[in-house]
Amino acid sequence: MDKDKLVIRKKTSIWSRLRRMILLILLWVVAIYVLAINVCFIFGIYTDGLVVNYSLFNLSFHLYKMLGYLIIVIGGLVTAYSVIHIRNLKRKAAAHDKNNA
């Protein structure tokens, strides 16, 4: 059996790719911004804007704990969805092979 026939391919629309690209760019910008603020504080660079953003992003231990739980829950949901989606794709591939046999 040819390996290419086992893969179910769906062409992603340009809008979906553009939306994902914008989301990833925004996430990277925020991550780099938080990192830059922390580096500025390490080297002793203080401005009013940096102090406000530093206090915003470095709140309390309770908030970090909640963020950790949120990451774990989202990771679990993504894993469960992925397992279900892969099983459905395998079922479709088996049905497709059975119909073509």
Side-chain angles (χ1 to χ4, degrees):
M1 178 175 271
D2 190 18
K3 288 182 181 180
D4 292 332
K5 291 182 180 178
L6 292 176
V7 178
I8 299 173
R9 289 185 171 87
K10 177 183 167 189
K11 185 169 170 67
T12 308
S13 71
I14 187 74
W15 300 113
S16 180
R17 283 186 276 165
L18 187 63
R19 185 178 65 237
R20 289 178 190 159
M21 182 182 69
I22 290 170
L23 179 64
L24 284 174
I25 289 171
L26 287 174
L27 289 173
W28 276 108
V29 166
V30 169
I32 291 169
Y33 185 63
V34 170
L35 184 65
I37 290 172
N38 285 311
V39 167
C40 287
F41 267 78
I42 288 171
F43 290 116
I45 302 169
Y46 302 105
T47 64
D48 290 339
L50 283 176
V51 171
V52 169
N53 287 318
Y54 185 80
S55 63
L56 176 69
F57 290 122
N58 294 301
L59 292 172
S60 66
F61 179 73
H62 178 68
L63 205 63
Y64 281 122
K65 193 166 100 176
M66 285 178 37
L67 181 64
Y69 288 146
L70 182 65
I71 290 171
I72 290 170
V73 167
I74 290 174
L77 290 173
V78 167
T79 302
Y81 174 78
S82 300
V83 167
I84 291 169
H85 189 66
I86 288 173
R87 285 184 181 174
N88 285 336
L89 288 176
K90 284 182 180 179
R91 192 177 310 127
K92 285 181 184 179
H96 180 56
D97 287 344
K98 189 175 183 182
N99 289 340
N100 286 338

